[in-house]
Amino acid sequence: MGARDVGLYADQRPAAPTPEQQRRASSGHSRRSGLRVGTDSIAAAQHGIKHKVQPEWQIEPGAGRTIPRDKSTQEPNHYIFHYTYGIEYSLNGQVQTGQIGEWSLDKRHYGVSYPPRNMAAAPSRASESATWLLAAWNEASAGIASWPNTKALGTVGWRRNKGDGISGSAMAAKVVGSQWSWAGVSGLAFLPGGELKTPWGSGIWGALPNQDYNDGGFCAKDCLFADFSGALHNLHFDLDAHPATFKTWRVGDGEQIEGRKKE
């Protein structure tokens, strides 16, 4: 957020406390952090070192939050943008608290893979916290020549709800009620309402919007999703094969398997 004075200054006299000063300062403290803070404070006082407390040191703005700025310079008031939680919005710019947004900027999506370059812009009604952080991410990935290729999604496509898109999807109408194998293991069933039965427990399924999923066009059209066991899978069907088959694309790393329809 700009190069600025960090708010700590000192004269040039030696600041190291003597062993006796350290012993006295540490007396009664049982934790290492307390020892360090205590000895530093006493040593600073003895040597005339002054500290300035900076109340606006760090900000942690989530969805719907602005970045406070100096009225005259428009520079941010804070020195550090502490990014912890995801910034989640609907595509029309409504904050989606406590859930993955239709537009989602969350570092937790990228535990095993890098975010892609040039991720989609935040909704027009999103706050500056979203636009500023996204710009920082995109600037970093664009400026690093060795940024790895990735199969992960960007800011759109992480939120999926049970039954999304089923009504009005010709592919979903053909698949609902059918049973399949998954990588040779039988027991996969696409139940009505978006309920998914798998050999590894229950899950959800639905129809995907036709869009770019950073998968080389694998699911550009007429795909379904099947999510279970903490993983998101995009499915491309070949209903003309005998038996009918599907191939999957696991969101995040692109792992693929094949499924076959039970005859």
Side-chain angles (χ1 to χ4, degrees), residues 206-223:
L208 289 171
N210 295 335
Q211 65 182 48
D212 181 12
Y213 293 96
N214 195 30
D215 57 7
F218 177 82
C219 257
K221 186 178 180 182
D222 295 334
C223 271

Side-chain angles (χ1 to χ4, degrees), residues 161-210:
N161 300 308
K162 183 170 71 172
D164 275 355
I166 287 180
S167 62
S169 167
M171 182 60 68
K174 295 175 183 177
V175 169
V176 64
S178 60
Q179 298 186 39
W180 302 69
S181 64
W182 181 283
V185 181
S186 61
L188 183 74
F190 295 86
L191 303 179
E195 183 179 351
L196 184 70
K197 178 183 177 183
T198 85
W200 305 279
S202 60
I204 64 173
W205 73 279
L208 289 171
N210 295 335

Side-chain angles (χ1 to χ4, degrees), residues 69-90:
R69 294 179 177 273
D70 183 274
K71 292 182 179 179
S72 60
T73 66
Q74 291 304 304
E75 283 290 313
N77 292 338
H78 299 79
Y79 297 84
I80 297 174
F81 188 123
H82 183 205
Y83 173 50
T84 298
Y85 301 108
I87 297 179
E88 315 291 348
Y89 281 96
S90 67

Side-chain angles (χ1 to χ4, degrees), residues 29-109:
H29 290 267
S30 61
R31 297 168 63 179
R32 183 174 297 177
S33 61
L35 297 176
R36 184 179 68 251
V37 171
T39 55
D40 287 352
S41 298
I42 292 174
Q46 290 180 332
H47 291 279
I49 298 174
K50 298 179 180 179
H51 295 80
K52 176 184 176 182
V53 176
Q54 173 62 10
E56 295 178 327
W57 180 251
Q58 174 179 289
I59 188 173
E60 188 173 343
R65 296 280 303 279
T66 59
I67 297 176
R69 294 179 177 273
D70 183 274
K71 292 182 179 179
S72 60
T73 66
Q74 291 304 304
E75 283 290 313
N77 292 338
H78 299 79
Y79 297 84
I80 297 174
F81 188 123
H82 183 205
Y83 173 50
T84 298
Y85 301 108
I87 297 179
E88 315 291 348
Y89 281 96
S90 67
L91 292 179
N92 64 8
Q94 295 293 323
V95 175
Q96 295 188 295
T97 304
Q99 56 189 307
I100 296 176
E102 294 172 336
W103 186 93
S104 176
L105 186 60
D106 190 342
K107 64 186 179 183
R108 291 162 186 81
H109 295 324

